[in-house]
Amino acid sequence: MSEFATLTVAGKTHQLPVIEGSEQEKAIDISDLRDQTGYVTLDRGYKNTGATKSAITFLDGEKGILRYRGYPIEQLAEQSNFLEVAYLLIHGNLPTQPEIEDFTRQITVHTLVNEDMKKIFDGFPVNAHPMGVLSSLVCSLTAFYPEPADTRSSVDKLNLNIIRLLAKMPTIAAWSYKNSQGHPVNYPKNKFDYCANFLYMMFALPVEDYTPDPVVVDAMNKLLILHADHEQNCSTSTVRLVGSSKVNLFSAISAGINALWGPLHGGANQEVIEMLEAIRADGGGTRKFIDQAKDKTSGVRLMGFGHRVYKNFDPRAKIIKVACDQILKKLGVDDPILEIAKNLEAAALSDSYFIERKLYPNVDFYSGIIYRALGIPTDMFTVMFALGRLPGWIAQWKEMNEAKEPIGRPRQIYTGERERNYVAMTNR
Ligand code: ACO
């Protein structure tokens, strides 16, 4: 029997359908509420609003569960690799051997970017933040591949643009770093796999040989998998909202990159390292910083802590913390800020302010320490996040288009002036 929620407003009772997801999560469908009652709902920051139905990622913030297409994140991070996970997210199932070989081959042969793109790189000042460069260059792909890249175009054309984006993002990302160093760029090398190729383009110098360290390649695969999708977060919702206007794939993803950049979202990974460095410079004690983070007038937050959805623990943070110890050990890196991070985490987790508000380390708390150990510069951390999140954004954009979702257009409650007459400048 169908379930309904009953709402009484302005003395009248209305029935609203209840819908249930495949993991028994329930929602009250208010699509017809305004037509029925004249009322809209208000939910700033969408704290309790489901914006869509999606079959890509399931997460349960209370239980600390995260699954891509039904597969637990712990299994994927341990046993899979990034391109296999990208295929899973975008196409819905794990690939067969021929499918992954074809997918990998196609990505490998599309890694070059048009030589004219170099002129755009040249136009940026050397100190430009690589996230700004990345989003601009991804958007500029619309100029190089102007044919419609949405689901109105043929499936082949759509898949080709998806491949182009997956293939060219690492090249653009690595070149933005090379540009900031004033170094010549490295062209992709097809003998390397996805992650090794990125590391080669980042770190190889014309004056010496460079072979990516397999430990670093493995660590990068793991980090990218852990970031690959996270249901309707800020940047993914941005991709879906922008994409709902039927703009092309490249523009929608460029918008997602910009949304990710903010310090409350993906930009937190850079902020965490800067925070830990500041604590270190101040002598390494965590008490002063914890007190500042609790003081609402200080404007300081404990970066890498807290999450809109996870109120118990972030399963990605759990995996990353263990990986952090292992990777630093394997690479023989002794980073003093790891100890500071652990002390800070322990201090926060035993403080009533953080306990009462259910604030725990999120994915960004330890990831920066690993990126640092891999030799990735701090202002490239959020770019690494973007590389990881790319297949999730693509999968969500594709799903939104295939479901023919209507253009995203929230309502508002207007709080401004009521109608008033224009007054000529001379009379003001
Ligand atoms: N440090 C100190 N206090 C915090 C923190 C923090 N990191 N996070 C939340 N709080 C406090 C808030 O001040 C608020 O306190 P109050 O109830 O006394 O007013 C309470 O906890 C709830 O916080 P909100 O901001 O309402 O929670 P929201 O769900 O809107 O924000 C967010 C979530 C943005 C992640 C927040 O926890 C935060 O700013 N964290 C630091 C930035 C960060 O690490 N971002 C990365 C998130 S993961 C990701 O995007 C990949």
Side-chain angles (χ1 to χ4, degrees):
M1 201 180 78
S2 308
E3 195 183 336
F4 287 91
T6 305
L7 175 77
T8 303
V9 60
K12 280 193 182 160
T13 298
H14 305 270
Q15 287 209 313
L16 299 164
V18 169
I19 58 166
E20 191 171 323
S22 50
E23 293 283 349
Q24 284 80 54
E25 70 279 26
K26 290 191 175 180
I28 300 167
D29 184 347
I30 54 139
S31 318
D32 288 341
L33 184 66
R34 191 165 179 278
D35 289 343
Q36 276 194 47
T37 65
Y39 286 69
V40 298
T41 55
L42 178 65
D43 179 19
R44 294 198 314 154
Y46 308 119
K47 292 200 175 196
N48 195 41
T49 295
T52 191
K53 291 181 189 171
S54 178
I56 301 171
T57 288
F58 172 71
L59 77 82
D60 182 327
E62 274 69 39
K63 295 189 186 138
I65 293 173
L66 173 61
R67 298 183 201 131
Y68 300 160
R69 301 281 188 188
Y71 296 101
I73 190 66
E74 293 80 6
Q75 292 179 17
L76 294 171
E78 201 50 46
Q79 298 170 46
S80 187
N81 67 59
F82 179 61
L83 283 193
E84 191 182 34
V85 169
Y87 186 101
L88 169 70
L89 286 167
I90 295 167
H91 296 293
N93 285 306
L94 286 170
T96 61
Q97 190 64 33
E99 282 168 342
I100 194 65
E101 279 172 12
D102 184 52
F103 187 66
T104 307
R105 183 193 56 75
Q106 287 191 58
I107 289 174
T108 309
V109 297
H110 281 96
T111 46
L112 268 182
V113 297
N114 189 300
E115 280 295 292
D116 281 345
M117 284 186 98
K118 274 188 173 170
K119 295 180 196 148
I120 311 179
F121 277 107
D122 288 344
F124 283 100
V126 283
N127 58 355
H129 195 285
M131 281 298 276
V133 178
L134 183 69
S135 83
S136 307
L137 270 287
V138 166
C139 199
S140 82
L141 289 171
T142 54
F144 296 93
Y145 307 102
E147 66 275 19
D150 58 27
T151 42
R152 286 171 299 172
S153 51
S154 73
V155 173
D156 285 353
K157 272 194 200 159
L158 172 71
N159 283 336
L160 179 57
N161 274 344
I162 288 175
I163 293 286
R164 280 178 178 143
L165 194 48
L166 285 166
K168 293 178 200 307
M169 268 262 289
T171 311
I172 294 171
W175 284 17
S176 73
Y177 169 63
K178 282 290 187 193
N179 216 44
S180 72
Q181 297 296 293
H183 288 172
V185 299
N186 291 316
Y187 286 88
K189 266 208 189 330
N190 287 359
K191 68 174 181 175
F192 292 129
D193 68 20
Y194 195 80
C195 291
N197 192 30
F198 171 76
L199 294 166
Y200 165 80
M201 289 188 286
M202 280 284 291
F203 298 122
L205 293 169
V207 287
E208 57 195 43
D209 287 339
Y210 175 85
T211 309
D213 180 339
V215 175
V216 177
V217 174
D218 280 356
M220 184 174 158
N221 257 297
K222 199 187 273 284
L223 284 168
L224 296 193
I225 290 171
L226 290 171
H227 287 87
D229 195 48
H230 211 234
E231 52 120 295
Q232 308 310 317
N233 56 82
C234 173
S235 56
T236 302
S237 301
T238 300
V239 169
R240 289 185 84 123
L241 187 66
V242 171
S244 75
S245 74
K246 298 281 178 268
V247 74
N248 62 75
L249 172 67
F250 304 127
S251 303
I253 300 294
S254 170
I257 294 170
N258 286 327
L260 185 74
W261 189 3
L264 296 189
H265 191 16
N269 57 12
Q270 173 171 348
E271 301 265 335
V272 170
I273 293 293
E274 288 167 359
M275 169 186 82
L276 295 172
E277 278 297 359
I279 294 173
R280 186 181 173 210
D282 197 40
T286 54
R287 191 67 262 157
K288 192 167 132 194
F289 191 83
I290 293 274
D291 288 342
Q292 272 182 339
K294 287 160 53 177
D295 174 5
K296 306 278 184 213
T297 60
S298 71
V300 172
R301 278 197 167 195
L302 184 48
M303 300 312 285
F305 251 72
H307 199 274
R308 171 62 60 78
V309 189
Y310 293 121
K311 299 297 174 197
N312 185 346
F313 66 94
D314 179 339
R316 304 166 301 173
K318 225 174 168 181
I319 300 170
I320 287 185
K321 187 178 177 186
V322 175
C324 191
D325 274 330
Q326 290 169 348
I327 292 163
L328 265 60
K329 205 169 163 199
K330 274 192 202 162
L331 292 171
V333 172
D334 182 18
D335 190 337
I337 66 165
L338 177 59
E339 207 46 42
I340 295 176
K342 286 183 177 173
N343 292 340
L344 193 59
E345 181 191 355
L349 292 182
S350 57
D351 189 299
S352 59
Y353 174 96
F354 294 91
I355 295 169
E356 279 159 20
R357 290 170 181 76
K358 300 186 173 168
L359 302 171
Y360 294 88
N362 60 49
V363 68
D364 287 329
F365 195 68
Y366 286 101
S367 65
I369 299 177
I370 306 185
Y371 287 135
R372 205 156 108 128
L374 306 188
I376 309 281
T378 313
D379 65 358
M380 283 291 288
F381 289 179
T382 317
V383 170
M384 302 304 292
F385 194 151
L387 286 179
R389 184 54 55 87
L390 182 61
W393 287 332
I394 293 173
Q396 301 268 354
W397 177 88
K398 189 165 168 269
E399 179 180 67
M400 185 258 321
N401 268 296
E402 286 170 354
K404 298 198 180 355
E405 290 201 357
I407 187 165
R409 204 301 186 186
R411 297 267 178 178
Q412 65 163 18
I413 301 298
Y414 175 68
T415 58
E417 297 286 349
R418 307 224 35 206
E419 185 180 10
R420 48 184 173 164
N421 289 323
Y422 176 77
V423 179
M425 183 74 77
T426 46
N427 294 331
R428 271 180 234 162

